[in-house]
Amino acid sequence: MATIDGLPPLRDVIRQYDLVAKRQLGQNFLLDLNLTARIARSAGKLAECDVLEVGPGPGGLTRGLLAEGARRVVAVEKDARCIPALQDVAAAYPGRLTVIQGDALEIDTRALLSPPVRVIANLPYNVGTELLIRWLTPASWPPFWTSLTLMFQKEVAERIVARPRTEHYGRLALLAQWRTDARIVLTLPPEAFTPAPKVHSAVVQLTRLDTPRYPADEKVLMRITAQAFNQRRKMLRSSLKGLAPDLEDLLTSCGIPPTARAEEIGLEAFCALARAVKARGT
Ligand code: SAM
């Protein structure tokens, strides 16, 4: 059967290179090239961009990114079995695909990428959240990327875009929404993948803000939100004990009722609290 790029269908590629999915590598492959092209398009214009892809696997999303016109794709794959299949894709798009075999948690690809850079990936579930947190907390802001377009388990995607007073609201939402505009652009049922995972998935688009939405010291903000959400159902006057001797006055001065719970407090108020704590040097 003909494909959009003249390369073999992904089922044939998987058969040719014997790419039996390994659960410990989070391998749930997308085999529908129309779908991978759609995910690539959901990231916005690619023509003028370099793309970092983590976990290309047999190359379905990689082919979507290249067919949609990405200037260059740097793809980091841990599973050595996938490399020959990816080299076939590189040969079909001369000079536009660099394949690196290794662990994305250990490899720094920034020197290979020219701005503007988009990160686009169907992430392995076991390392997805860790990579997201790393991309959101670089040594300095703005980061090397302009947008992240990432597939997660739907529940993780909901934690990224959650609003106060909802079930999934917590530290991940605060961190993501402090530094990016984050929204879910696509949800996919288990059957979209081979093998099918147990849960639904969703693609989240995070577009960086040049400066964080409200001023705050990252370390102080992270410390306060960790403490507050560690006991998310407790009142802040109790969960934040130890933050300041006059905690209730401090909270009130930031517009936060001491009897409120972490899940009721928005990003702006947490940032105000982080500034007040930082100003006191505590
Ligand atoms: N992009 C492909 C697709 O959409 O069909 C595969 C996605 S699959 C969910 C995740 C991929 O990430 C697998 O190919 C797996 O081998 C790879 N992977 C897992 N852990 C990794 C790591 N630490 N660094 C790089 N790749 C990893």
Side-chain angles (χ1 to χ4, degrees):
M1 196 175 62
T3 56
I4 47 171
D5 50 15
L7 287 160
L10 284 153
R11 281 188 198 286
D12 294 357
V13 173
I14 285 174
R15 209 173 301 122
Q16 181 184 352
Y17 292 105
D18 197 19
L19 301 178
V20 179
K22 289 188 179 171
R23 199 175 355 163
Q24 68 273 29
L25 284 172
Q27 291 185 335
N28 301 99
F29 300 133
L30 291 167
L31 303 186
D32 178 349
L33 289 166
N34 292 313
L35 181 56
T36 60
R38 202 167 137 213
I39 295 168
R41 282 196 296 277
S42 74
K45 232 177 106 211
L46 298 182
E48 307 296 321
C49 298
D50 278 9
V51 175
L52 170 62
E53 185 190 1
V54 173
L61 181 56
T62 321
R63 288 165 62 174
L65 296 169
L66 290 162
E68 290 301 315
R71 181 174 62 193
R72 202 152 158 266
V73 177
V74 173
V76 182
E77 172 56 59
K78 191 170 178 180
D79 187 351
R81 298 178 309 155
C82 297
I83 304 303
L86 293 165
Q87 296 299 5
D88 290 349
V89 181
Y93 290 94
R96 289 176 58 201
L97 173 60
T98 304
V99 179
I100 298 171
Q101 199 234 312
D103 186 337
L105 291 168
E106 285 166 15
I107 289 174
D108 186 352
T109 51
R110 281 173 298 179
L112 300 173
L113 297 157
S114 306
V117 175
R118 294 189 189 275
V119 179
I120 306 173
N122 175 12
L123 287 174
Y125 289 154
N126 43 357
V127 292
T129 315
E130 179 164 354
L131 281 170
L132 173 64
I133 291 172
R134 287 190 191 190
W135 286 323
L136 289 171
T137 54
S140 64
W141 195 266
F144 74 93
W145 49 268
T146 57
S147 67
L148 308 172
T149 306
L150 307 172
M151 177 93 69
F152 290 101
Q153 300 177 50
K154 189 158 172 267
E155 189 259 332
V156 176
E158 282 168 349
R159 279 169 47 208
I160 296 168
V161 303
R163 297 292 175 191
R165 297 174 188 274
T166 62
E167 186 192 348
H168 295 291
Y169 183 61
R171 295 184 72 209
L172 197 57
L174 284 161
L175 175 59
Q177 295 170 35
W178 183 44
R179 288 187 150 161
T180 72
D181 279 323
R183 64 198 176 96
I184 291 178
V185 291
L186 198 64
T187 51
L188 292 177
E191 315 82 78
F193 302 85
T194 304
K198 289 199 174 66
V199 293
H200 279 64
S201 299
V203 177
V204 186
Q205 171 85 355
L206 301 106
T207 307
R208 82 169 188 211
L209 303 173
D210 285 338
T211 52
R213 202 174 296 278
Y214 307 105
D217 180 278
E218 180 192 317
K219 287 206 167 56
V220 178
L221 181 63
M222 291 301 110
R223 178 161 59 90
I224 291 172
T225 54
Q227 208 178 327
F229 280 95
N230 209 10
Q231 299 169 299
R232 60 185 287 138
R233 299 208 190 280
K234 279 204 175 166
M235 293 179 191
L236 290 169
R237 68 179 178 201
S238 145
S239 61
L240 290 181
K241 222 173 225 160
L243 194 63
D246 55 344
L247 177 63
E248 297 210 10
D249 290 345
L250 181 71
L251 289 167
T252 308
S253 73
C254 297
I256 301 173
T259 52
R261 293 166 171 79
E263 59 198 12
E264 299 168 61
I265 304 302
L267 174 61
E268 188 170 8
F270 271 119
C271 288
L273 183 58
R275 288 196 301 276
V277 168
K278 173 90 173 170
R280 291 170 160 217
T282 48

